[in-house]
Amino acid sequence: MPEQLADTVDPANWTCPAPLRDQPVVVMGHGGGGALSAELMEQVFVPAYGNATLAALADSAVLELDGARLAFSTDSYVVRPLFFPGGSLGHLAVNGTVNDLAMSGARPAYLSAAFVLEEGVELTVVERIARAMGAAAEAAGVTVATGDTKVVESGHGDGVYVTTSGIGLVPDGVDLRPQRARPGDAVIVSGPIGLHGVAIMSVREGLEFGVEVASDTAPLADLVAAMLAVTRDIHVLRDPTRGGLAASLNEIARASGTGVRLSECAIPVPDAVANACGFLGLDPLYVANEGRLVAFVPRQAADQVLAAMRANPQGSGAAIVGECVADHPGMVVVSTGLGGTRVVDMPLGEQLPRIC
Amino acid sequence: MKYIDEFHDPDLARRLLDEIRATVTRPWALMEVCGGQTHSIIRHGIDQLLPEEVELIHGPGCPVCVTPLEMIDKALEIAARPGVIFCSFGDMLRVPGTDRDLFRVKGEGGDVRVVYSPLDALELARRHPDREVVFFAIGFETTAPANAMAVHQARRLGLTNFSLLVSHVRVPPAIEAIMTAPSCRVQGFLAAGHVCSVMGTAEYPQLAERHRVPVVVTGFEPLDILEGIRRAVRQLERGEHRVENAYARAVREDGNPAAVRMIEEVFEVTDRSWRGIGRIPSSGWRLTDAFRAYDAEHRFDVTGIRTEEPAECRSGEVLQGLIKPTECSAFGTTCTPRTPLGATMVSSEGACAAYYLYRRMNGQTPQADRAAREEMNPVA
């Protein structure tokens, strides 16, 4: 009854607080490629190793060695399941590191591969992964030149973990860093986003979205070479893996002190990704990719670079999705299809599917 | 599959906005009840496009936000116990309890799992007969049928290691509570389409009549919301107050009778506390005596929980529509998604999270926020 309710509900006492706290233990979000990952780097690893090269926190480090400029990168791959539509752990382990090198403008040359195997895993599984790595390396034009294998007791791993490191040469005159983004740069993505993340969710969580979605995993070094053939004055390249396009663009905006303005209608989101995200309450901008890049290109070169990208198989779906601006430094905003605007923030950790 | 696109059409949106502009002659305050609607409004910038006279007030319809602290603390205690697999929808994992959250319990070794359906939790119980599987059954009328079904199935399958930690809430008593509060400014409601797709619209005519407010059942896509606003404003301008269904593709007057029967078989109405709001009579469901064996509170005897809520956060006022998130001094300073003071900043459907994620521009005050919007979007 209304009278009762008026007595019961006292708006003056409506509060909903909870104490502030830090995370004293590692949580999954520390590996999610968002704000928690960045904090782990900045507060634990950078102070512990302390050097300027590491502090740049790029996908790969660019090192001067006897007059040559080497790109050097390492990454561990812990994906579940080991095989998924469009790829496997092996494909990721090669393409991921190849792409980290390519984002420095390097031509990737050599990889190492370290396996951590869990006791009890079938050898045929290891063989399938190794063969996938061999095929991916051949496709990317790199050589797996060295490696290592360790075995952990049953229950102490998740089947197979692979770590790859890689080196490549950076051509003269190429300087790709997030700090180089400038107002006026066109923001280009190389193709449809979100396919890898949705492909993994579709098999890992047992969700079916009506159509099969295949991962976009692919090597991007050829695409990068084609872009640099147009102009070496590309400012930034980044492959938006964990944390998706949103995390990469936020990192670039913060590192360069510029703003990014996207146009929602221009962002290529496949129907299957849009539908899966709608169902789960996720935003495609935050979903992982493994074969896409985002480029900041001076406006005057943007159309030519875009044309070169579209002529490459890995860039056939490339599109200009926005621009780098002087407004709202460090922040990414998107103009919505209806004409409003919203902020696209750095993801905190992992995206969580909503309740309903 | 293109079925979503037609509800995002910019041309149709402009037409609806034009109609709203042509209809409105004075200020009106509408409350969208559901957190999903709040996020859609902010995500698509709908509130920026409306005429100044139409104010949207964000309601308490975020199931994560309103789950009481005591219940979250109970969840944390059960999840930390050895031998338990604690299952939850994803967005509950980050909601702070008194001194930790479910992510922290998971990081410390608790077996906490994200599931997409209570039936997934039931399947875990079937596969792990030596473990106790507990599902955190929160939510409004939308999630209740599936949760009821899970318990029903557990009994049918003879599973004795499955239980629900139930914190279900019901929308109509909350609307009643909002309308009876002396400080209420709400003049019309956009009722939550998903809730009505289950329960139908039968509960709303008396509410509309008693409080003389239009209630328009509204969906979640941008055009759904604009259509709901258009109809609510039209009623207000005409001095009408009735229930209209602007979400007819999903909502029938009698809802989903099979789902309602399932709820009625397993649950009974009870008083419930809403986080940030307080106790609202008859506003929740609990398991009936016949299903008491599947009640995790009963099974795990989680008593003696002492909750503690410091006073800085104002999300209770946000939930009631008394203030906008940006009017809270903690917003964006001491309270962010990284360091949330309250659940409205944590939940994916929370109003504070929506403002923080989508509307944090050059400033954090409403004035600076509006100035920033106008600067970026001069036409709106």
Side-chain angles (χ1 to χ4, degrees):
Chain A
M1 291 295 104
E3 295 75 18
Q4 275 182 316
L5 287 164
D7 292 340
T8 312
V9 179
D10 176 7
N13 288 324
W14 285 21
T15 59
C16 180
L20 287 169
R21 75 189 63 80
D22 293 314
Q23 289 283 359
V25 296
V26 173
V27 295
M28 291 305 289
H30 282 118
L36 287 177
S37 297
E39 280 175 23
L40 189 65
M41 283 299 297
E42 287 158 14
Q43 293 171 12
V44 177
F45 295 125
V46 171
Y49 311 148
N51 65 74
T53 309
L54 179 67
L57 296 178
D59 287 340
S60 57
V62 176
L63 312 167
E64 299 269 351
L65 203 63
D66 278 349
R69 291 169 72 221
L70 280 178
F72 178 41
S73 183
T74 189
D75 213 335
S76 294
Y77 298 86
V78 296
V79 66
R80 218 166 20 98
L82 300 172
F83 305 94
F84 46 82
S88 68
L89 174 70
H91 291 95
L92 292 186
V94 169
N95 291 337
T97 296
V98 161
N99 292 346
D100 283 346
L101 295 170
M103 294 310 113
S104 300
R107 181 50 99 165
Y110 295 103
L111 298 188
S112 72
F115 281 73
V116 177
L117 305 174
E118 185 183 8
E119 185 182 34
V121 169
E122 290 177 21
L123 280 176
T124 51
V125 169
V126 182
E127 188 185 0
R128 275 179 76 191
I129 292 169
R131 284 187 183 279
M133 289 179 70
E138 191 179 345
V142 294
T143 304
V144 181
T146 183
D148 180 48
T149 308
K150 296 285 188 292
V151 178
V152 294
E153 287 176 24
S154 178
H156 288 248
D158 198 11
V160 182
Y161 299 146
V162 178
T163 299
T164 52
S165 302
I167 53 171
L169 278 174
V170 182
D172 288 341
V174 172
D175 181 16
L176 294 165
R177 286 178 290 131
Q179 292 79 2
R180 292 195 68 216
R182 294 283 173 275
D185 285 355
V187 178
I188 306 177
V189 296
S190 64
I193 61 165
L195 288 165
H196 176 73
V198 168
I200 292 291
M201 274 186 270
S202 70
V203 281
R204 183 157 73 193
E205 317 294 356
L207 299 167
E208 291 172 10
F209 303 117
V211 284
E212 184 174 282
V213 180
S215 168
D216 51 26
T217 179
L220 297 171
D222 278 347
L223 176 64
V224 172
M227 295 166 70
L228 289 171
V230 175
T231 172
R232 295 203 166 185
D233 189 32
I234 291 171
H235 290 159
V236 190
L237 291 181
R238 201 87 175 181
D239 61 335
T241 53
R242 295 166 307 161
L245 197 58
S248 292
L249 292 175
N250 271 282
E251 284 164 7
I252 295 165
R254 288 177 194 187
S256 61
T258 62
V260 173
R261 184 181 304 190
L262 301 172
S263 168
E264 190 168 57
C265 300
I267 301 169
V269 181
D271 288 346
V273 171
N275 291 334
C277 287
F279 173 66
L280 294 170
L282 306 179
D283 186 334
L285 294 176
Y286 294 89
V287 176
N289 312 274
E290 287 291 344
R292 296 286 175 257
L293 63 78
V294 57
F296 281 56
V297 180
R299 182 67 249 185
Q300 60 276 18
D303 290 338
Q304 268 184 291
V305 170
L306 184 67
M309 293 174 78
R310 286 181 172 165
N312 184 288
Q314 300 307 336
S316 58
I320 295 178
V321 296
E323 61 178 341
C324 188
V325 294
D327 303 337
H328 49 80
M331 200 171 264
V332 180
V333 303
V334 60
S335 306
T336 71
L338 298 191
T341 53
R342 72 171 196 270
V343 175
V344 178
D345 203 7
M346 184 69 138
L348 183 60
E350 294 183 295
Q351 280 209 97
L352 296 169
R354 69 179 172 206
I355 172 173
C356 63
Chain B
M1 289 194 293
K2 283 274 186 190
Y3 59 88
I4 292 292
D5 287 6
E6 59 197 278
F7 301 106
H8 289 232
D9 185 333
D11 292 333
L12 282 174
R14 262 188 292 277
R15 234 177 291 162
L16 285 169
L17 281 162
D18 286 344
E19 275 193 58
I20 294 168
R21 281 195 200 98
T23 308
V24 72
T25 62
R26 57 198 148 130
W28 298 113
L30 305 176
M31 174 175 275
E32 85 277 0
V33 172
C34 174
Q37 291 169 332
T38 303
H39 263 252
S40 195
I41 287 164
I42 307 295
R43 186 171 192 277
H44 295 283
I46 290 170
D47 54 333
Q48 301 166 345
L49 304 172
L50 289 170
E52 191 118 302
E53 292 86 349
V54 180
E55 182 190 1
L56 293 177
I57 296 176
H58 314 308
C62 164
V64 173
C65 301
V66 300
T67 300
L69 185 58
E70 184 188 3
M71 202 54 89
I72 292 175
D73 283 350
K74 285 181 180 177
L76 295 169
E77 189 177 319
I78 293 171
R81 292 191 188 184
V84 167
I85 300 175
F86 192 87
C87 302
S88 169
F89 293 126
D91 45 6
M92 282 306 290
L93 266 64
R94 255 192 226 128
V95 181
T98 294
D99 63 0
R100 54 189 174 160
D101 58 25
L102 282 167
F103 262 127
R104 168 100 169 262
V105 170
K106 186 170 188 281
E108 289 171 343
D111 193 348
V112 177
R113 304 192 191 187
V114 171
V115 294
Y116 296 88
S117 154
L119 298 175
D120 295 342
L122 193 69
E123 176 59 20
L124 280 172
R126 204 185 55 74
R127 288 211 316 261
H128 299 280
D130 55 328
R131 309 275 298 274
E132 281 285 339
V133 175
V134 183
F135 179 72
F136 200 176
I138 72 151
F140 289 89
E141 292 89 333
T142 331
T143 51
N147 294 343
M149 174 65 88
V151 165
H152 184 83
Q153 286 280 77
R155 187 160 75 172
R156 201 176 62 81
L157 296 169
L159 291 176
T160 55
N161 62 330
F162 178 77
S163 57
L164 297 183
L165 181 60
V166 180
S167 189
H168 272 300
V169 278
R170 301 172 59 232
V171 165
I175 292 183
E176 185 76 60
I178 286 163
M179 289 312 294
T180 15
S183 48
C184 175
R185 299 190 297 122
V186 180
Q187 294 165 295
F189 283 96
L190 308 181
H194 290 170
V195 167
C196 296
S197 70
V198 174
M199 303 303 292
T201 57
E203 294 175 283
Y204 294 98
Q206 308 130 338
L207 275 173
E209 185 56 42
R210 187 154 58 239
H211 300 290
R212 304 183 68 77
V213 285
V215 176
V216 181
V217 178
T218 302
F220 298 82
E221 300 302 332
L223 292 189
D224 289 325
I225 290 167
L226 286 171
E227 173 64 7
I229 294 168
R230 187 186 72 85
R231 292 196 193 196
V233 167
R234 189 177 58 186
Q235 281 200 47
L236 286 165
E237 289 283 346
R238 290 176 179 173
E240 298 170 352
H241 50 272
R242 53 198 166 76
V243 178
E244 269 189 87
N245 183 1
Y247 195 38
R249 71 179 186 279
V251 173
R252 295 189 326 206
E253 194 180 342
D254 62 346
N256 180 337
V260 174
R261 270 200 306 279
M262 185 53 71
I263 291 173
E264 287 171 349
E265 182 182 333
V266 172
F267 294 125
E268 63 191 5
V269 170
T270 184
D271 297 348
R272 263 288 167 227
S273 289
W274 294 49
R275 189 172 191 174
I277 295 179
R279 202 158 189 82
I280 302 179
S282 304
S283 69
W285 277 307
R286 66 177 171 210
L287 289 162
T288 63
D289 283 343
F291 287 90
R292 190 68 73 230
Y294 300 93
D295 186 340
E297 283 187 85
H298 175 69
R299 184 176 298 203
F300 291 90
D301 188 28
V302 268
T303 51
I305 296 271
R306 295 179 63 177
T307 60
E308 193 181 337
E309 303 224 61
E312 192 182 356
C313 173
R314 299 178 68 188
S315 64
E317 293 163 86
V318 173
L319 286 167
Q320 193 198 12
L322 295 177
I323 62 166
K324 290 275 194 294
T326 45
E327 290 174 67
C328 172
S329 62
F331 178 83
T333 54
T334 52
C335 184
T336 69
R338 173 74 183 85
T339 54
L341 285 177
T344 47
M345 184 57 96
V346 182
S347 159
S348 61
E349 295 187 6
C352 295
Y355 271 70
Y356 190 88
L357 291 177
Y358 300 140
R359 191 51 56 71
R360 199 179 73 265
M361 300 300 295
N362 297 329
Q364 282 144 2
T365 63
Q367 295 77 12
D369 186 44
R370 174 169 281 276
R373 288 203 314 262
E374 282 167 358
E375 184 189 325
M376 297 193 58
N377 206 17
V379 207

